[in-house]
Amino acid sequence: MKLKSIVIDDEPLALRQMESYVARVPFLELVASFDNAVEARSYIEQGNVVELIFVDINMPELNGVDFVRGLTVQPMIVFTTAYSEYAIEGFKLDAIDYLLKPISFENFERAAKKAQSIAELLSLRNSAQAEALPVGEQNPEKECISIRADYKTSLVRYSNIVYLESAGEYVRLHLADGGELVTLFRLKNMESSLPSDRFVRVHRSFIINLDHVTGYTKGRVFLTGDEYAPIGENYKESFVAIVNKIG
């Protein structure tokens, strides 16, 4: 996946440098470059796809900060400038990075890789439901779900998942082999991708695999590998009913 990128800088030398930097990064595609933000704004308003913008802050007529403020659909933004005092204002606009001139390729590449990671995570969140593989009926041991984490997609067997823990926008999968996976995924969406006869929500932040339950008390369920998860008051009755049914 290449990120469609534009660069904006009123300084000819700086603009050429940024163009050359974009060309050196395999996952970036330079779709346009501009020496002023007015033309860049017109380009975007015409419906051209732009996913990442490298934009100088201190420019005449329309500066970089006002340019970004005026965007109705905001791509990922990396501000570039020779003036460090603009950094705070830039980050208030949710810029993913801020590059202080003179910009080294190493710092440029670091910002680009951050954009790539964010794009991959957003892509996962948008297509997460489609990535969940269907439950196999003939060979349960082969049942799995695809999880995007650590810059790759991993096929994780349901039998290897002990429990799932919510961490805001992320979900942490605790695995029977001792490993962990963290993915950009809301727990509610993850719950709908798992077989309901094996995975049960016991807390607003926890889903457990019934195959790994070793016991429970009033407010806690014990799991394989000395792990445990809290049982929320709103989930206690349904959890006990399920355990008694399968027991």
Side-chain angles (χ1 to χ4, degrees):
M1 177 182 69
K2 286 195 173 187
L3 296 175
K4 295 184 181 298
S5 310
I6 66 172
V7 295
I8 311 168
D9 200 307
D10 65 314
E11 299 175 12
L13 290 178
L15 185 62
R16 286 198 292 270
Q17 181 189 55
M18 296 298 287
E19 290 172 341
S20 69
Y21 281 177
V22 171
R24 291 172 62 181
V25 179
F27 55 82
L28 297 184
E29 177 187 354
L30 183 65
V31 295
S33 61
F34 304 92
D35 60 9
N36 68 87
V38 175
E39 290 183 6
R41 181 174 60 185
S42 176
Y43 177 83
I44 294 172
E45 288 176 348
Q46 289 171 14
N48 294 293
V49 176
V50 177
E51 298 168 302
L52 176 61
I53 300 176
F54 296 91
V55 56
D56 186 29
I57 289 181
N58 192 28
M59 293 185 292
E61 190 170 359
L62 179 63
N63 66 49
V65 171
D66 289 339
F67 162 75
V68 172
R69 283 200 185 107
L71 295 176
T72 54
V73 177
Q74 184 172 309
M76 291 180 287
I77 303 294
V78 175
F79 281 116
T80 66
T81 186
Y83 304 96
S84 59
E85 60 267 27
Y86 288 118
I88 294 177
E89 188 66 25
F91 283 121
K92 284 181 180 178
L93 295 172
D94 294 326
I96 66 171
D97 213 334
Y98 178 95
L99 299 176
L100 188 63
K101 297 179 180 179
I103 301 167
S104 68
F105 178 71
E106 289 73 21
N107 286 339
F108 176 89
E109 187 177 35
R110 171 181 52 78
K113 286 182 177 178
K114 185 183 295 186
Q116 183 190 38
S117 297
I118 292 172
E120 288 178 343
L121 291 172
L122 290 175
S123 176
L124 169 67
R125 184 165 62 181
N126 292 336
S127 62
Q129 291 297 102
E131 284 193 352
L133 300 181
V135 177
E137 296 181 358
Q138 299 300 319
N139 192 348
E141 190 62 25
K142 293 294 184 180
E143 294 173 8
C144 56
I145 187 172
S146 59
I147 298 295
R148 182 71 179 177
D150 298 328
Y151 310 105
K152 65 180 181 181
T153 299
S154 299
L155 294 179
V156 183
R157 290 182 176 180
Y158 294 135
S159 59
N160 193 31
I161 302 174
V162 179
Y163 68 100
L164 304 92
E165 178 184 3
S166 173
E169 293 286 330
Y170 297 84
V171 170
R172 179 177 288 107
L173 285 79
H174 299 261
L175 307 179
D177 60 14
E180 289 186 359
L181 287 174
V182 179
T183 184
L184 183 62
F185 211 133
R186 285 191 175 275
L187 194 66
K188 181 179 180 180
N189 295 333
M190 181 71 80
E191 183 178 12
S192 64
S193 300
L194 297 167
S196 59
D197 61 330
R198 296 171 64 178
F199 289 87
V200 176
R201 194 161 187 165
V202 295
H203 187 277
R204 64 179 182 178
S205 299
F206 289 86
I207 295 174
I208 63 164
N209 185 343
L210 291 171
D211 293 340
H212 288 283
V213 173
T214 60
Y216 68 93
T217 60
K218 181 178 180 181
R220 180 178 298 186
V221 55
F222 298 96
L223 303 161
T224 300
D226 295 326
E227 297 275 9
Y228 66 87
I231 302 175
E233 191 63 32
N234 293 335
Y235 300 87
K236 178 182 176 182
E237 185 175 341
S238 61
F239 169 70
V240 172
I242 291 172
V243 171
N244 289 337
K245 182 178 180 180
I246 65 176

